[in-house]
Amino acid sequence: MNEPVNRAREVLIEAPAERLVAAVADVVAETYGATDTELLQVDYRLATLLPLGGGEAVDAPGHPAWRCFDHQEPVVADGIGYFPVSMRGERRGVLRTAPLPEDPGALAKLTEIATALAHELAAVSAGTDVYRSARRSRRLTLAAEMQWELLPGRSRIRPAFSLAGQLEPAYAVRGDSFDWSDDGHRLWLAIINGMGEGVAASMLTALCTSALRNARRAGLALADQAALADQAIYDLHRGAQHLSALLMDLDLATGEMTVVDAGSPRLVRVRNGEVTEQPLEAQFPLGMFEATDYHEQRFPLHRGERLFVVSDGVIEAAGQQTRYGETALDRFLRRTGPMEPLDAVRSLLGDLRAFVAGDLVDDAVVVCVDWTGPQA
């Protein structure tokens, strides 16, 4: 029954890193007679689907490839099949196959093959530039290259939660970033609102991210993670450089959220269509003073609740006559209820780019988390 899928998995494991799509294409051609198979990767802005082999980019929102990407289900149009290339909630793009076979069971099997391709792309991405290079519509700045390499991914789905984040301006971001990790019991998040310009800002954010990871992986509590990162930055810069961060630790069994607000971005809660800002205990940014003592704050989440963390680059984004502001942000967040976190983040930043009529000037980071409740 699953012979084509198993065959594709075997071929993907054995194929050289740069020939994963060609290997899948061979299996699809041999099994279903499809002679045109291509990987369309989503770019860094989440605005364009770029063919791995070159060719015309797909950026029209109503295109079948985008419907497949947005709804995460196979789409058939004009004899061409589009299948989501995603793993554990991380959307990498779309697999396009033509001509589509008449076998009614082919859609499900090709969907599984696209998922297997996503897993293998994740496995080989650290050792080749083939896929990274092909998913950029223009050159990244050096600072942006450093920032994107820091990220654990852009989205994640688990039974108890789903999350997504995005950096803007995607091809020229400097200091803003986010990090996350989960172990099935807890979800850790760090949203960093960096300071400075260019590579210097990226280096400061990289130091902070590495210090937080080091402390987290040593099993330290959230306040101690903040203290270690604070000291690492202060030891190097003696207070001349610092950055704001919001550290979050979600207990996946109880829904209790623990936070440390180190001069952080804004935290907004969305529940039953109501938008409220979560009051936070403001503490010093990381690296501002020596040996800062940080304190944890706790509050419960409700099943079905959504959290947004937005940096000041969102609220302060300037249009022709005014800034985006809290009112426009809250109004837009109310409309994101039916959307998956990645779609909500993408839509918010798309609205922001439309407001400023182009790319953002200042860095902005948006992270969205849905708490769906404890699961077996």
Side-chain angles (χ1 to χ4, degrees), residues 204-221:
L204 183 63
T205 299
L207 173 61
C208 177
T209 302
S210 297
L212 290 171
R213 287 174 176 172
N214 179 255
R216 184 184 73 220
R217 292 164 182 169
L220 300 186

Side-chain angles (χ1 to χ4, degrees), residues 262-299:
S264 75
R266 189 178 185 219
L267 176 60
V268 178
R269 304 174 71 163
V270 183
R271 184 185 179 203
N272 297 327
E274 293 298 318
V275 178
T276 58
E277 183 167 358
Q278 172 64 41
L280 297 174
E281 180 187 348
Q283 302 177 68
F284 289 125
L286 302 177
M288 180 174 281
F289 300 107
E290 185 173 15
T292 302
D293 187 19
Y294 289 95
H295 304 282
E296 298 175 353
Q297 177 181 350
R298 291 179 174 82
F299 56 87

Side-chain angles (χ1 to χ4, degrees), residues 19-303:
R19 285 189 47 80
L20 296 182
V21 178
V24 164
D26 290 343
V27 173
V28 172
E30 176 185 327
T31 307
Y32 299 111
T35 56
D36 181 13
T37 296
E38 178 62 289
L39 171 65
L40 309 176
Q41 295 186 107
V42 69
D43 84 317
Y44 286 83
R45 274 182 101 194
L46 292 170
T48 303
L49 290 168
L50 299 169
L52 179 65
E56 187 175 353
V58 180
D59 48 25
H63 193 281
W66 274 115
R67 297 207 309 270
C68 172
F69 183 87
D70 290 338
H71 299 293
Q72 289 295 285
E73 58 186 25
V75 172
V76 179
D78 299 324
I80 303 173
Y82 301 88
F83 305 91
V85 180
S86 306
M87 45 83 67
R88 296 189 172 92
E90 178 72 13
R91 303 186 198 179
R92 293 183 169 268
V94 172
L95 188 67
R96 182 183 66 202
T97 299
L100 197 66
E102 296 182 0
D103 178 6
L107 283 184
K109 291 183 174 63
L110 286 167
T111 301
E112 288 189 62
I113 289 173
T115 301
L117 173 61
H119 281 272
E120 201 60 30
L121 287 170
V124 305
S125 61
T128 179
D129 291 332
V130 168
Y131 306 103
R132 285 188 179 91
S133 297
R135 70 182 184 91
R136 50 191 72 183
S137 59
R138 60 180 184 264
R139 183 175 177 177
L140 292 171
T141 64
L142 176 55
E145 190 84 52
M146 295 170 65
Q147 289 297 77
W148 284 105
E149 288 298 304
L150 281 176
L151 296 187
R154 270 196 290 212
S155 53
R156 174 78 157 156
I157 295 177
R158 289 292 301 265
F161 70 88
S162 57
L163 66 84
Q166 174 67 3
L167 309 178
E168 286 288 339
Y171 288 87
V173 66
R174 299 171 292 273
D176 284 10
S177 187
F178 60 89
D179 190 30
W180 52 258
S181 177
D182 79 278
D183 64 1
H185 303 285
R186 310 191 77 84
L187 167 66
W188 292 272
L189 281 162
I191 297 88
I192 297 171
N193 190 182
M195 66 168 289
E197 297 295 330
V199 172
S202 291
M203 291 176 66
L204 183 63
T205 299
L207 173 61
C208 177
T209 302
S210 297
L212 290 171
R213 287 174 176 172
N214 179 255
R216 184 184 73 220
R217 292 164 182 169
L220 300 186
L222 207 62
D224 294 329
Q225 293 176 30
L228 188 148
D230 170 72
Q231 196 61 43
I233 296 168
Y234 185 85
D235 286 347
L236 186 62
H237 298 290
R238 312 307 294 179
Q241 293 191 49
H242 50 80
L243 49 73
S244 301
L246 178 63
L247 310 185
M248 307 168 69
D249 176 354
L250 175 60
D251 187 324
L252 299 179
T254 66
E256 182 180 62
M257 179 69 80
T258 303
V259 301
V260 171
D261 173 9
S264 75
R266 189 178 185 219
L267 176 60
V268 178
R269 304 174 71 163
V270 183
R271 184 185 179 203
N272 297 327
E274 293 298 318
V275 178
T276 58
E277 183 167 358
Q278 172 64 41
L280 297 174
E281 180 187 348
Q283 302 177 68
F284 289 125
L286 302 177
M288 180 174 281
F289 300 107
E290 185 173 15
T292 302
D293 187 19
Y294 289 95
H295 304 282
E296 298 175 353
Q297 177 181 350
R298 291 179 174 82
F299 56 87
L301 294 185
H302 302 279
R303 188 187 295 267

